[in-house]
Amino acid sequence: MDATELEWHRGELTGYCYRMLGSGFEAEDAVQETFVRAWRTYDASRGPLRSWLFHLATNICLDMLRGPQRRARAMDLGPAAVPGAELGAPLPPERWIHPIPDSRVSPEDLAVARETVRLAFVAALQHLPPRQRAVLILRDVLRWSAAETAVLLSTTVTSVNSTLQRARAKLPAVEPADLEVDEELLSRYVSAFERYDVSALVSLLHEDATMSMPPFTWWLRGRESIRAVLLASDAPCAGARLLPTRANGSPALGQYMDGRAFALVVLDVAGGLITGVTTYLDPGLFPFFDLPMSFAHALRTEG
């Protein structure tokens, strides 16, 4: 085994750990710890390297999930706010589902199961106990057999099948999303946002669209509620600039205010309309997504 062999598995392992943990940063930490332990423990008598890596990664994730609180989206934490309601106090970072760049997950993983890295699906997984979560991801997302999963978890095929049945029954339903990016829709959204054209912006939203802004639990549901808030907010994002990226198999945008990194915006799209806007008010995400910390730097790089 050498470093090249380990790196070949990084994307797939990162996707697995991300679904388990709900944080791209924690997923990368888990994968790195998996590699460290693999260097110390692997030999060919244990079986294929891939199986051993997933065995190690699963145990590491289960250890990391021993805390009492699960990660969530704002929509999972309480009812929608009414226009005019206060944002409230922010919650600490460990309470939130965080986004992950598409580039950190293997292309094969995204092509086969793009919807299973979307924010809504990852949030739904957090409702499952960790062991049920692992079985469902291994069986239904990564398509491991019941026998392979049983060996990995040191249990029986009967136990795996029973756990999978319970996990499927408990997993909350997730609305489907468009698999391909509508570049024209994205371009219209960027133009409307940068001009702070509320009418144009709202016209791109589904009537039941949601809007949230981690780390605040405040969130909105419905095109009209979003319109009301945008019109009453004294144009706080006027003059913002956006740079495109990809997160969780979805279009995303780095938002810059006064030329400086401000927020990462992740869009959910279905039926040719935007169904969800999640704005992460955390400039610390920009390096993770290979986005520059200033818009001026982006222009110099491009030009």
Side-chain angles (χ1 to χ4, degrees):
M1 180 181 67
D2 58 27
T4 302
E5 290 180 87
L6 289 177
E7 287 298 324
W8 195 83
H9 297 281
R10 182 181 290 277
E12 185 182 34
L13 283 168
T14 301
Y16 174 62
C17 292
Y18 176 68
R19 294 181 182 95
M20 286 289 292
L21 301 169
S23 164
F25 294 121
E26 287 192 354
E28 293 213 325
D29 288 345
V31 171
Q32 200 57 41
E33 178 62 19
T34 297
F35 288 172
V36 169
R37 294 189 190 183
W39 275 113
R40 294 200 306 256
T41 63
Y42 178 70
D43 63 69
S45 67
R46 295 185 182 276
L49 175 60
R50 178 173 180 262
S51 297
W52 185 244
L53 290 172
F54 270 89
H55 168 76
L56 294 173
T58 300
N59 287 336
I60 290 167
C61 288
L62 293 176
D63 285 342
M64 294 172 71
L65 290 167
R66 294 189 188 281
Q69 293 180 325
R70 65 178 175 86
R71 291 180 178 270
R73 300 178 303 160
M75 288 74 78
D76 305 315
L77 298 175
V82 296
E86 296 292 328
L87 291 179
L91 294 185
E94 60 269 20
R95 292 300 311 279
W96 297 103
I97 298 291
H98 288 291
I100 191 169
D102 282 10
S103 60
R104 307 275 176 152
V105 184
S106 69
E108 296 81 4
D109 200 21
L110 282 173
V112 172
R114 187 183 299 273
E115 70 279 7
T116 69
V117 292
R118 295 194 188 276
L119 290 173
F121 185 80
V122 175
L125 285 172
Q126 310 310 302
H127 288 269
L128 302 179
R131 198 167 178 86
Q132 286 186 19
R133 198 181 309 173
V135 168
L136 187 136
I137 296 168
L138 289 165
R139 294 283 285 114
D140 284 357
V141 177
L142 300 181
R143 302 301 180 186
W144 287 50
S145 70
E148 290 171 326
T149 304
V151 170
L152 185 147
L153 295 174
S154 302
T155 188
T156 65
V157 169
T158 300
S159 176
V160 165
N161 288 335
S162 176
T163 301
L164 179 60
Q165 185 176 13
R166 293 195 303 273
R168 286 172 174 169
K170 189 174 181 179
L171 187 72
V174 176
E175 293 296 325
D178 292 351
L179 295 180
E180 300 299 326
V181 177
D182 184 336
E183 296 294 347
E184 181 183 355
L185 176 69
L186 187 60
S187 177
R188 290 167 62 197
Y189 181 87
V190 169
S191 175
F193 193 101
E194 292 187 339
R195 292 182 287 110
Y196 206 76
D197 185 334
V198 173
S199 294
L201 200 59
V202 171
S203 72
L204 305 177
L205 303 178
H206 187 275
E207 62 180 355
D208 292 324
T210 61
M211 175 182 287
S212 60
M213 296 193 305
F216 299 100
T217 58
W218 175 97
W219 67 283
L220 296 171
R221 180 182 294 281
R223 186 165 52 205
E224 294 311 310
S225 290
I226 294 172
R227 183 200 304 272
V229 168
L230 293 178
L231 288 174
S233 58
D234 197 27
C237 294
R241 302 303 299 270
L242 301 174
L243 285 179
T245 185
R246 296 279 301 177
N248 295 75
S250 300
L253 301 156
Q255 180 183 344
Y256 296 82
M257 297 294 296
D258 298 321
R260 296 189 296 272
F262 177 72
L264 183 79
V265 183
V266 183
L267 303 176
D268 293 311
V269 181
L273 290 171
I274 294 167
T275 59
V277 181
T278 306
T279 302
Y280 289 92
L281 302 173
D282 181 5
L285 289 168
F286 278 55
F288 192 44
F289 282 79
D290 295 322
L291 288 167
M293 295 303 290
S294 75
F295 194 79
H297 180 79
L299 295 178
R300 287 197 299 272
T301 301
E302 292 175 0

